Amino acid sequence: MTTTDDEFSGYSASRRLILKGVGLVALTGLGILPFGPMPALAAANDKWPEDAFKQKGQAEAIKSLYGKTAEPSDQVKLDAPEIAENGAVVPISVTTTLTDVTSISFLVADNPNALAASYQILPGTLPSVANRLKMAKTSNVTAIVEAGGKLYSATKEVKVTVGGCGG
Amino acid sequence: MKMTMRLTGSNRPIARLVLATTLLTTMLQITRASSAQAAASVDEFKAAYAVAEAANTQAGALRNQWTATASTLADAKKAADAGNFDAAVALSKEAEALAKASIFQGTSEKQAWKAQEIR
Amino acid sequence: MASTIRVRATATGDTTEVQALIQHPMDSGFVKDAQGQIIPPHFIQQLTFECNGKAVFVADWGTAVSKDPYVKFSFKGGNKGDDLKISWIDNKGASDTTTAKIS
Amino acid sequence: MKVRSAISLASVALALAALTLAAAPPASAANAIDPAADARAFQKFFTTKFPKLKLEDFVNGPYSLNEDMHRQWVEKEEFPPYEFSLDMGKEMFAQPFKNGKSYADCFANGGIGIRQNYPYFDDKEGKVVTLELALNRCRQANGEAPFSYVKDEMAALTGYMAFTSRGKPFDIKIPNDPRALEAFETGKQYFYTRRGQLNFSCASCHVQNPGERIRAEILAPALGILNAMPIYRSEWGGMGTISRRFITCNVQTRGVPLDPQSDEYRDLEYYLSYVSNGLPISGPGARP
């Protein structure tokens, strides 16, 4: 990366102009190794859960991933738009007041494969994740929070008028 | 009918416009469709196709061709290649009707656009 | 070639907020190309964040994560100037890594 | 077309009447070309239609008009999807041509912070010159092949140049030259002329119905629509230039689009940019 502090402060300054109130932050890139030999993924002590991602239904995916079922909890706050502007890019986030959280997963019930993403919340990391998901059509979106060995969930319907199967 | 655009209730002015054009196009097609009878020949197809193509070229001069005209012309050619000249003639006439409607639109809009202008 | 990874990491008090955007097609395997051929799935499977050599966040992704994926999270313990290393690997074995400084 | 027999002559007559009715020009049509008055009326129309919005809000298109969408946008802008294109544009802009010259040599102020002055009327050519056109002419003058007007490279370059102009108000000049006034008028005519099988003009959607949904999309107001160009459209899954936007609009009305940078498109860009004078450049932008 060839960026300098200088141009990034330019970045945030101009962007603030347009997007009042959304503070942005500078970063300094260091060296990179694009497509070099994969360094040992120190954190990837768990394998990518292939079986869970292969499941079609939501219940099956949760069972494969966690081996148990989730109960709804109002301590799980799921934030998703009422109507997605485009199914290809739906901003979805979750945050929780539960403690001892070890993982957070997102499922889109009516996608071809329900499990979209699963995040390991390691010690010291806050139980809050935002990401952007694809939705094939209007569907319930569920966030699962694993806390103290139990599963908690929140679900919200997101309407999709332009499907996100195009990429 | 190839009108697949879905419109919500709040777009009624647009919906009316769409309806108006659709009906206009359809009308032009009715007049044309009734003249194609019996088994058509290669020559009939060629003549009908040439007329449609000429109309579409005229629409092009008005910078106002419709996508449906081009695709219908292509369909006509395909039908003719398959030896189905009845269909080929009918499609040529449909393309001609579409091209004529686009010419009508292009000509009337030369003045009509002013009605939409913000002043 | 520029990195496929963009990161912003900011420390406020003892909490560091991290946002990352990665350039990747995230092909789902359900889409056909112009010739009607299925575009085979091509997506990032795992994305890892390490602060000063210690893993803080691991993302396991499927094909339903959007093209040019984005993720945001926060962790405690990072300080201004600390190294944050980000790595991803996709289902075809391609990978990329970058290290950013927390600001 | 199977329903043709079901249409009665009466409804056809009605349809014709509707067309004719709409075609009646207002009695008070003044014929003098007065771009300044047009721009004032144009801006007043939108600020009256959306009294809550400030003038500069219009550059954010549909996001200014709908709260749920605005929220999704703010979230998206935290790390906008055009970021990679912007970086690519910056890199490309700095990269010299084979002859050692660069884009900077083709533009005033080395091409930095000048987006708001495009398009301009070139009195030697007697035509409107857009930024996209100027970039390709720059390439050709230096022995490089021109880029496609609708693809990624052109979007990356114009995106970077827009970025260096962010916040600067559109400052399009119409010299007192009958050819320039004619170009403005032709652009205006193109904007308001209904075309395509759906019988839509640009104005049908972007003047008469901004904020409304057509299919799933919320229509953007015409005011400020070019300030955000080029844009990353989620629908496209990528970047698009002004040329691409015009072509898409034509196709969506079921009209055959013109070639990119044909005279009418150049005039249209001239008109649309001029009536947005004073509104800040916000490109590159992100749109649904």
Side-chain angles (χ1 to χ4, degrees):
Chain A
M1 196 138 45
T2 52
T3 43
T4 64
D5 284 40
D6 206 288
E7 68 194 54
F8 267 96
S9 51
Y11 249 72
S12 20
S14 333
R15 208 176 267 130
R16 267 193 207 104
L17 243 170
I18 310 293
L19 245 191
K20 284 161 237 131
V22 179
L24 286 177
V25 212
L27 109 147
T28 313
L30 291 181
I32 48 140
L33 301 163
F35 299 101
M38 190 59 196
L41 266 178
N45 40 23
D46 293 280
K47 263 190 68 198
W48 183 70
E50 184 177 357
D51 185 66
F53 278 110
K54 268 190 181 163
Q55 299 300 320
K56 299 217 178 305
Q58 177 161 313
E60 293 80 4
I62 296 171
K63 190 157 179 265
S64 165
L65 193 61
Y66 294 110
K68 50 197 161 198
T69 54
E71 60 178 77
S73 164
D74 55 12
Q75 285 183 279
V76 178
K77 299 267 182 267
L78 174 64
D79 191 15
E82 306 265 324
I83 303 175
E85 60 164 36
N86 189 303
V89 190
V90 187
I92 294 169
S93 62
V94 71
T95 180
T96 179
T97 49
L98 292 161
T99 53
D100 197 15
V101 174
T102 48
S103 88
I104 292 178
S105 298
F106 294 91
L107 298 105
V108 181
D110 293 334
N111 269 1
N113 302 105
L115 182 61
S118 183
Y119 298 93
Q120 298 172 32
I121 307 297
L122 298 164
T125 297
L126 304 180
S128 167
V129 180
N131 61 183
R132 298 169 187 161
L133 303 179
K134 283 183 252 187
M135 293 182 64
K137 55 184 174 187
T138 297
S139 168
N140 276 336
V141 174
T142 297
I144 303 275
V145 173
E146 185 185 28
K150 284 189 170 166
L151 298 186
Y152 304 90
S153 70
T155 297
K156 188 179 171 187
E157 190 194 54
V158 176
K159 289 194 175 63
V160 175
T161 39
V162 180
C165 281
Chain B
M1 197 101 83
K2 292 173 183 166
M3 203 64 56
T4 51
M5 193 152 204
R6 272 172 283 137
L7 291 151
T8 60
S10 51
N11 271 308
R12 264 181 236 115
I14 291 183
R16 268 204 300 273
L17 281 177
V18 174
L19 189 66
T21 342
T22 311
L23 293 178
L24 177 66
T25 319
T26 313
M27 178 200 70
L28 288 163
Q29 280 157 357
I30 295 166
T31 54
R32 287 283 146 197
S34 53
S35 57
Q37 302 293 341
S41 66
V42 192
D43 290 342
E44 272 177 87
F45 158 69
K46 280 187 177 159
Y49 189 87
V51 170
E53 212 170 30
N56 197 34
T57 306
Q58 201 188 329
L62 288 164
R63 311 293 265 167
N64 194 36
Q65 286 176 331
W66 290 0
T67 48
T69 314
S71 60
T72 310
L73 279 171
D75 289 349
K77 198 154 228 168
K78 223 182 276 170
D81 288 347
N84 188 351
F85 293 108
D86 278 354
V89 168
L91 285 163
S92 299
K93 291 190 188 260
E94 188 173 319
E96 185 197 345
L98 286 163
K100 288 231 163 110
S102 71
I103 292 167
F104 176 85
Q105 180 192 46
T107 312
S108 68
E109 281 294 310
K110 278 190 170 170
Q111 287 304 316
W113 69 270
K114 289 179 183 154
Q116 284 200 65
E117 189 189 347
I118 298 173
R119 285 169 189 280
Chain C
M1 196 187 135
S3 174
T4 59
I5 305 173
R6 298 287 184 283
V7 188
R8 294 195 192 107
T10 350
T12 316
D14 66 343
T15 302
T16 301
E17 186 188 83
V18 182
Q19 295 183 83
L21 187 73
I22 297 159
Q23 192 166 29
H24 199 283
M26 298 303 283
D27 292 318
S28 66
F30 297 109
V31 180
K32 287 182 182 161
D33 64 14
Q35 281 75 46
Q37 301 290 311
I38 288 277
I39 302 168
H42 183 203
F43 61 101
I44 293 175
Q45 291 186 321
Q46 203 160 54
L47 168 73
T48 309
F49 295 79
E50 289 169 60
C51 181
N52 296 329
K54 180 176 151 268
V56 290
F57 190 74
V58 179
D60 287 325
W61 282 345
T63 55
V65 171
S66 299
K67 178 187 170 183
D68 295 345
Y70 165 85
V71 68
K72 177 165 90 170
F73 70 96
S74 299
F75 68 95
K76 288 187 186 296
N79 293 302
K80 284 192 200 320
D82 284 356
D83 279 350
L84 185 70
K85 185 172 147 194
I86 301 100
S87 322
W88 61 254
I89 182 162
D90 71 18
N91 66 322
K92 293 183 177 176
S95 64
D96 197 2
T97 297
T98 192
T99 303
K101 287 233 182 278
I102 296 173
S103 64
Chain D
M1 296 270 174
K2 286 180 187 113
V3 296
R4 51 175 74 119
S5 57
I7 310 288
S8 76
L9 271 176
S11 52
V12 171
L14 260 175
L16 272 177
L19 278 174
T20 330
L21 202 67
S28 67
N31 280 329
I33 302 171
D34 186 350
D38 282 355
R40 272 196 306 276
F42 198 83
Q43 298 194 2
K44 183 161 174 275
F45 173 87
F46 284 99
T47 48
T48 309
K49 192 175 175 97
F50 300 101
K52 279 189 210 152
L53 296 189
K54 291 200 279 292
L55 208 50
E56 64 265 28
D57 292 336
F58 284 95
V59 302
N60 297 326
Y63 294 115
S64 301
L65 312 178
N66 179 296
E67 218 169 283
D68 193 38
M69 278 185 69
H70 191 265
R71 228 163 42 93
Q72 295 181 57
W73 176 64
V74 168
E75 205 141 312
K76 212 160 58 170
E77 284 283 323
E78 284 189 25
F79 227 135
Y82 49 73
E83 187 112 349
F84 291 105
S85 172
L86 186 54
D87 285 355
M88 173 176 149
K90 186 186 166 81
E91 221 166 88
M92 284 171 65
F93 195 85
Q95 184 80 37
F97 301 128
K98 283 193 270 318
N99 66 6
K101 296 207 169 177
S102 71
Y103 292 109
D105 297 316
C106 296
F107 295 95
N109 197 38
I112 303 302
I114 57 154
R115 159 73 186 102
Q116 69 283 0
N117 302 323
Y118 282 81
Y120 71 95
F121 185 80
D122 183 84
D123 52 8
K124 280 188 219 78
E125 190 188 352
K127 285 184 177 185
V128 171
V129 176
T130 66
L131 184 61
E132 292 170 21
L133 192 62
L135 277 164
N136 261 351
R137 285 184 175 175
C138 174
R139 290 183 60 79
Q140 285 174 295
N142 287 289
E144 304 281 335
F147 286 135
S148 153
Y149 281 108
V150 295
K151 287 264 182 62
D152 297 343
E153 289 91 350
M154 187 56 82
L157 279 173
T158 53
Y160 171 66
M161 291 179 81
F163 187 73
T164 68
S165 275
R166 272 198 175 178
K168 293 188 196 245
F170 243 138
D171 187 18
I172 306 303
K173 305 258 196 297
I174 299 185
N176 194 11
D177 177 328
R179 297 169 304 172
L181 290 167
E182 182 67 33
F184 175 84
E185 191 69 7
T186 307
K188 180 166 82 179
Q189 178 171 353
Y190 196 90
F191 181 75
Y192 287 109
T193 296
R194 280 188 283 229
R195 61 188 76 247
Q197 197 176 6
L198 298 188
N199 201 34
F200 281 15
S201 69
C202 309
S204 305
C205 287
H206 300 288
V207 170
Q208 290 153 15
N209 290 284
E212 304 289 347
R213 280 181 187 274
I214 186 159
R215 291 189 282 190
E217 295 173 60
I218 292 192
L219 292 166
L223 180 62
I225 202 166
L226 295 186
N227 299 54
M229 295 286 167
I231 48 173
Y232 183 102
R233 285 198 84 182
S234 305
E235 191 190 333
W236 294 338
M239 297 293 295
T241 56
I242 291 175
S243 292
R244 184 171 183 182
R245 193 70 196 83
F246 288 167
I247 288 168
T248 312
C249 273
N250 278 162
V251 171
Q252 281 170 335
T253 69
R254 309 254 173 99
V256 175
L258 308 177
D259 291 331
Q261 301 299 323
S262 54
D263 290 350
E264 288 91 339
Y265 280 167
R266 286 156 72 177
D267 293 347
L268 174 61
E269 187 176 335
Y270 194 40
Y271 167 74
L272 268 178
S273 303
Y274 180 83
V275 295
S276 292
N277 262 355
L279 275 71
I281 297 294
S282 67
R287 292 290 180 270

